[in-house]
Amino acid sequence: MSAPPAGRLSALLLLLCAALLTGCEAEQSRPNILLIVLDDFGYNDLASNNGADSPTPTLDEIAARGIRYTRHYAESSCTPSRVALLTGMYPARVGAHPFLSGIDHELVTLPDSLAAAGYRNYMIGKWHAGDSHREARPEFQGFQRWFGFVNQLYLQAPGEA
C-alpha cells in the first residue's frame, strides 16, 4: 500500500520515548518505542520512500526493523504539528494555530499515556510546543527527562548577547 506524502515540519526535533524495562516478565514483553520527528523533512527525503537522491541508510535500517507510521499530516509550521502528534487532536482544538503558549498540563498527551502504562519517556531536541509558562515544558507533558531547548527563538550564536 502506497502512503501519501507526509506533511513537512519546520525545525529539528528528535522525540525519544524509550521504555526502560525493569522487573517482571510482563513488563519485559513491552516494546521499546523510538519516535523520531524531523522538521523540514519531506516524504521523499527518506531513501526508502523513493528518495534515492539523498541516502539515509541509518534511518532506512531503523524503519525496516520497526513499525512505520506514514500518515501524520502536519501543518506548515512546527508547533501545530508537534501539538497534533503529542495530543492526538487537531491543533486548533488545543489553541495552536500557529502559536501556542503551551499545552494545558491537564490535557493527556501521548507521553502521559505511555507513562501510565509504565514507560519512562525521554525527549531530546527541540520542544517548540509552547513555553510561556512553566507547566508548558516537557516535564509537565509526560516526559520524565528531557534535553534540548524549548524554542529556537531563544538560541543565539556564540558571542552574541
Side-chain angles (χ1 to χ4, degrees), residues 48-145:
S48 63
N49 292 344
N50 305 319
D53 291 343
S54 301
T56 53
T58 303
L59 291 175
D60 294 338
E61 183 178 344
I62 291 170
R65 292 179 180 211
I67 299 172
R68 293 178 60 203
Y69 295 95
T70 59
R71 292 186 177 196
H72 176 69
Y73 296 95
E75 298 221 7
S76 61
S77 61
C78 53
T79 297
S81 299
R82 284 174 170 74
V83 169
L85 183 62
L86 288 167
T87 65
M89 300 172 73
Y90 290 113
R93 284 195 69 196
V94 184
H97 224 309
F99 302 104
L100 175 72
S101 61
I103 299 171
D104 183 345
H105 71 279
E106 294 180 7
L107 189 63
V108 177
T109 63
L110 174 63
D112 287 328
S113 296
L114 289 170
Y119 282 88
R120 299 197 60 191
N121 305 307
Y122 301 89
M123 195 279 298
I124 300 170
K126 179 178 133 183
W127 172 246
H128 211 201
D131 61 270
S132 68
H133 56 283
R134 187 169 183 254
E135 290 81 14
R137 298 168 70 96
E139 65 265 29
F140 292 94
Q141 304 300 328
F143 293 98
Q144 283 76 31
R145 300 190 128 205

Side-chain angles (χ1 to χ4, degrees), residues 30-44:
R30 288 188 312 220
N32 288 328
I33 299 170
L34 173 66
L35 178 60
I36 300 172
V37 177
L38 301 170
D39 288 352
D40 295 325
F41 196 84
Y43 183 81
N44 286 328

